[in-house]
């Protein structure tokens, strides 16, 4: 191993890493989502042909499977607070005699299909737009999920099916690809990634979770996906990509070849302000796109409005 091999995010990305800090002013908290103007919403709407819609959130509490989450998190727990059984066992009921069911849920806000806040991950003591990392102390006072949730996400989406491109149900553990590979797959599908497109990538990885056991899925944790290069980051910046959406738990190949973990979270989200959307169910949408060879659509999403949070669940809706 070379002695000058990068060991940290800062060393890998370099002091001159591409940044969009200040591009939308010193107070910006939504980053590259600023590219999604009303004209981009209309461009997305213009891609609708059949009106067919797809919801992209994974179910919370699916029977037989713990929710797919990052290994550092635990699955959601839903608890019944009230139901007919409560009343049959003697719970007090109102004079009118009506009964009801009620529930509560205990979960990580990033424990389902979700958006990351731009302040979710950082290095060097600064989060998105150069805000001091101490603004995350106790809650995110800058670049939390709330500004993204209040703004919403509406634009022209394009699905690139990397698993189908390689003739697989799912990419392999640790299998990585570049922006060049992404463009080649798009051309093979007969579609072109255009500036300000919301890029949606299917690897098949999430689908594989439901075809195996949680023990096998989490063993030797190493997701496939896009991997860092300076050229890839410059391409995202040049193409003004607002949002990266994938069927991965952490949206990128877990390990860069240097041994650095999750560099794109910093290179794209922290530095460029690209919104990250993770754990997205894409198998049904991909099957429909392949059936009529149409891979673009109107993409819409709005995470929950949670003050000070580093992320929030979302159920994106695609109309094609």
């Amino acid at each position: 191993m070379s002695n000058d091999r990068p060991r940290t995010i800062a060393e890998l990305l370099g002091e001159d890493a591409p940044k969009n800090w200040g591009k939308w002013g010193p107070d910006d908290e939504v980053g590259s989502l600023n590219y999604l103007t009303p004209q981009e919403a209309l461009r997305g709407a213009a891609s609708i042909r059949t009106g067919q819609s797809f919801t992209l959130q994974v179910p919370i509490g699916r029977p037989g499977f713990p929710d797919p989450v990052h290994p550092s998190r635990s699955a959601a727990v839903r608890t019944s607070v009230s139901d007919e059984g409560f009343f049959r066992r003697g719970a007090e009921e109102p004079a009118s005699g009506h009964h009801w069911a009620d529930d509560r849920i205990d979960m990580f806000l990033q424990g389902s299909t979700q958006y990351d806040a731009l302040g979710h991950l950082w290095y060097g003591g600064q989060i998105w737009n150069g805000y001091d990392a101490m603004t995350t102390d106790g809650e995110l006072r800058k670049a939390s999920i709330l500004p993204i949730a209040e703004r919403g996400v509406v634009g022209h989406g394009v699905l690139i099916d990397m698993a189908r491109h390689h003739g697989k149900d799912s990419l392999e553990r640790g299998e990585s690809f570049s922006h060049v590979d992404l463009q080649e797959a798009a051309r093979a599908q007969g579609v072109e990634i255009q500036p300000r497109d919301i890029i949606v990538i299917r690897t098949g990885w999430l689908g594989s979770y439901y075809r195996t056991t949680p023990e096998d899925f989490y063993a030797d944790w190493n997701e496939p996906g896009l991997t860092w290069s300076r050229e890839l980051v410059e391409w995202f910046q040049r193409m003004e990509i607002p949002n990266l959406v994938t069927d991965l738990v952490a949206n990128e190949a877990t390990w860069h070849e240097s041994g650095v973990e999750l560099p794109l979270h910093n290179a794209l989200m922290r530095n460029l302000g690209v919104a990250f959307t993770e754990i997205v169910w894409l198998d049904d949408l991909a099957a429909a796109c392949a059936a009529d060879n149409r891979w673009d659509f109107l993409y819409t999403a709005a995470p929950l409005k949670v003050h000070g949070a580093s992320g929030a669940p979302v159920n994106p809706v695609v109309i094609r």
Side-chain angles (χ1 to χ4, degrees):
M1 180 185 299
S2 172
N3 290 331
D4 60 359
R5 188 183 190 193
R7 292 176 296 174
T8 68
I9 291 285
E11 290 173 350
L12 181 66
L13 272 53
E15 294 182 0
D16 62 342
K19 290 186 177 72
N20 285 336
W21 293 5
K23 183 180 178 73
W24 298 284
D27 299 321
D28 179 74
E29 298 182 73
V30 300
S32 291
L33 291 179
N34 283 293
Y35 293 132
L36 294 181
T37 62
Q39 289 71 31
E40 292 306 312
L42 291 172
R43 186 165 70 93
S47 68
I48 299 174
R49 297 290 183 270
T50 66
Q52 185 181 26
S53 63
F54 292 84
T55 60
L56 306 185
Q57 184 184 13
V58 295
I60 295 176
R62 177 173 171 171
F65 283 91
D67 297 340
V69 295
H70 191 271
S72 65
R73 302 182 180 119
S74 55
V77 177
R78 185 201 62 80
T79 304
S80 180
V81 176
S82 179
D83 54 37
E84 181 62 19
F86 280 69
F87 294 105
R88 295 289 179 93
R89 290 188 289 271
E92 184 177 356
E93 63 181 48
S96 63
H98 67 271
H99 294 178
W100 63 90
D102 208 351
D103 310 84
R104 62 177 294 164
I105 192 166
D106 180 22
M107 68 178 294
F108 279 86
L109 286 174
Q110 291 159 294
S112 179
T113 306
Q114 57 94 21
Y115 268 76
D116 283 342
L118 293 187
H120 166 55
L121 197 145
W122 63 90
Y123 67 98
Q126 291 176 292
I127 64 171
W128 158 251
N129 215 28
Y131 298 122
D132 192 307
M134 279 304 293
T135 59
T136 69
D137 190 26
E139 64 174 341
L140 269 63
R141 297 184 296 282
K142 292 290 187 179
S144 77
I145 197 61
L146 185 62
I148 292 176
E150 291 180 328
R151 188 186 194 284
V153 182
V154 181
H156 180 261
V158 59
L159 173 64
I160 311 300
D161 194 338
M162 294 301 294
R164 196 177 303 269
H165 179 60
H166 288 288
K168 302 176 179 180
D169 292 330
S170 171
L171 297 189
E172 308 299 326
R173 194 179 305 275
E175 185 176 357
S176 64
F177 51 90
S178 70
H179 65 294
V180 175
D181 300 321
L182 199 65
Q183 293 173 89
E184 288 178 354
R187 283 192 290 271
Q189 292 176 187
V191 68
E192 180 183 359
I193 300 173
Q194 301 176 29
R196 302 194 175 187
D197 275 348
I198 296 169
I199 297 181
V200 183
I201 303 174
R202 177 180 175 268
T203 67
W205 183 251
L206 185 58
S208 73
Y209 175 77
Y210 297 104
R211 296 191 296 270
T212 183
T213 65
E215 292 75 18
D216 287 341
F217 183 76
Y218 288 111
D220 302 318
W221 184 248
N222 190 11
E223 287 193 290
L226 279 172
T227 193
W228 179 88
S229 71
R230 175 69 178 237
E231 294 76 18
L232 179 145
V233 177
E234 291 173 345
W235 181 79
F236 265 78
Q237 187 178 43
R238 185 170 63 252
M239 293 290 287
E240 299 184 339
I241 301 301
N243 194 175
L244 177 63
V245 180
T246 77
D247 61 352
L248 298 167
V249 172
N251 238 20
E252 61 174 297
T254 304
W255 300 101
H256 183 259
E257 62 183 7
S258 65
V260 173
E261 185 178 9
L262 300 179
L264 289 182
H265 271 67
N266 284 285
L268 297 183
M269 185 168 62
R270 177 214 188 238
N271 289 349
L272 298 188
V274 176
F276 271 31
T277 317
E278 300 164 332
I279 320 179
V280 179
W281 182 252
L282 297 174
D283 286 12
D284 296 332
L285 175 62
C289 290
D292 61 9
N293 199 34
R294 282 197 308 108
W295 300 90
D296 67 329
F297 37 77
L298 174 67
Y299 175 95
T300 67
L304 297 180
K305 297 180 180 181
V306 185
H307 281 270
S310 61
V314 67
N315 185 12
V317 178
V318 158
I319 307 174
R320 60 188 301 276

